[in-house]
Amino acid sequence: MTAAHDVPFEEPWQARAFATAVVAVEALGLPWDAFRDRLKAAVAADAGRPYWDSWVAALDDLVRGLSPAG
Amino acid sequence: MTTHAARPLPPAGERAAALEALLVAKGVISADAVDAVVDAFENEIGPRHGARVVARAWVDPAFRRRLLADAPSAIAELGVGGAEAEHLVVVENTEDVRNLVVCTLCSCYPWPVLGIPPLWYKSFAYRSRAVSEPRAVLREFGTEVPDDVEVRVWDASAEQRYLVLPERPEGTGEWTEEQLAALVTRDSMIGVTRAASP
């Protein structure tokens, strides 16, 4: 549970996915919980899935909720 | 990015890149803003803010009381704050009590003071076992907890994010706040280990 996993990100795309969500939530004027609730649901939907995969699923859900006009 | 440039992205990575591109195309975000956040979290925001808070609490009893009573206000005195920090609660380790922080639902974590959590914090194994067998988890981190010491597990929620105030290491009586801060590790503020020894 420790040594190999003692870093926040295994790969650079995970840091970008993290930052994309942080920036998007702020830019959209949403409370952080708007993302957090989706993350919670994504983690619950597939507990064995890697964490950052769940993160991307939550981001996907957030983006899908935006109107086509943006 | 360069070291991984030749490696194909996994599906989630490709999806993340597509979502970022879509948000940029929609004019919601800019790639520069994403770069800035990545950079900030990798280089600026990290457990160092939390370490400063803990070191201040070790040398300033009045600050320690304010920190335990109202953490968001107390850390603001040190210029620390931001999203997620408004829900911060600090719990104190003592001779009789050890605190351990977990988020069983996802990975709530006080970013402004601790940076981004390590992968193990977000693992299913930690999220489940920290609650079901905290002493075994602590042992795996090299932290032996005597039977007569109570272990309190704090499950983060939307309303509250926890930071452990570890015990000040012995033999640091004359140490400055700055020297002390160097002993405050991220893991000690999650509660899985003690602060480093001098």
Side-chain angles (χ1 to χ4, degrees):
Chain A
M1 197 185 307
T2 54
H5 291 119
D6 204 39
V7 292
F9 307 114
E10 297 155 305
E11 307 207 27
W13 69 262
Q14 298 167 344
R16 284 207 83 76
F18 166 80
T20 300
V22 170
V23 173
V25 166
E26 190 181 333
L28 292 165
L30 297 171
W32 180 248
D33 281 354
F35 185 79
R36 188 184 160 279
D37 289 345
R38 288 176 165 87
L39 177 60
K40 211 164 71 178
V43 170
D46 183 353
R49 174 164 60 183
Y51 175 78
W52 289 108
D53 288 25
S54 295
W55 185 282
V56 173
L59 181 61
D60 202 328
D61 189 48
L62 183 82
V63 173
R64 276 171 205 277
L66 302 177
S67 67
Chain B
M1 298 291 276
T2 50
T3 52
H4 291 273
R7 276 171 66 180
L9 281 172
E14 282 185 11
R15 187 68 196 142
L19 290 166
E20 181 188 341
L22 182 64
L23 287 164
V24 170
K26 279 174 175 281
V28 175
I29 65 173
S30 73
D32 285 350
V34 177
D35 286 343
V37 169
V38 169
D39 189 59
F41 272 91
E42 287 184 341
N43 299 309
E44 295 164 30
I45 308 169
R48 277 179 296 157
H49 286 170
R52 278 171 54 220
V53 170
V54 169
R56 174 66 58 87
W58 283 345
V59 300
D60 182 343
F63 177 79
R64 185 176 135 269
R65 281 193 295 275
R66 291 198 295 279
L67 182 66
L68 294 171
D70 180 359
S73 300
I75 66 172
E77 293 174 30
L78 302 185
V80 178
E84 302 276 293
E86 67 268 32
H87 302 300
L88 190 66
V89 173
V90 174
V91 290
E92 182 183 33
N93 279 352
T94 66
E95 281 181 2
D96 306 316
V97 176
R98 284 205 58 89
N99 297 285
L100 181 65
V101 179
V102 65
C103 175
T104 54
L105 290 177
C106 44
S107 64
C108 298
Y109 192 76
W111 297 337
V113 279
L114 286 181
I116 298 175
L119 288 170
W120 58 257
Y121 182 85
K122 298 172 282 204
S123 70
F124 182 69
Y126 180 75
R127 289 188 286 118
S128 52
R129 295 185 55 226
V131 175
S132 62
E133 43 177 350
R135 287 172 192 270
V137 169
L138 286 165
R139 204 172 302 121
E140 284 166 31
F141 279 92
T143 308
E144 291 291 339
V145 181
D147 287 343
D148 60 345
V149 172
E150 181 188 351
V151 175
R152 290 183 190 158
V153 179
W154 300 87
D155 191 357
S157 68
E159 290 74 35
Q160 298 191 310
R161 309 292 148 81
Y162 298 96
L163 180 80
V164 174
L165 175 57
E167 286 184 277
R168 180 172 175 165
E170 291 183 13
T172 57
E174 302 297 314
W175 285 42
T176 66
E177 200 174 323
E178 201 168 277
Q179 289 173 310
L180 288 168
L183 299 177
V184 185
T185 62
R186 177 199 66 207
D187 288 0
S188 71
M189 293 182 280
I190 297 175
V192 291
T193 62
R194 296 183 170 81
S197 295

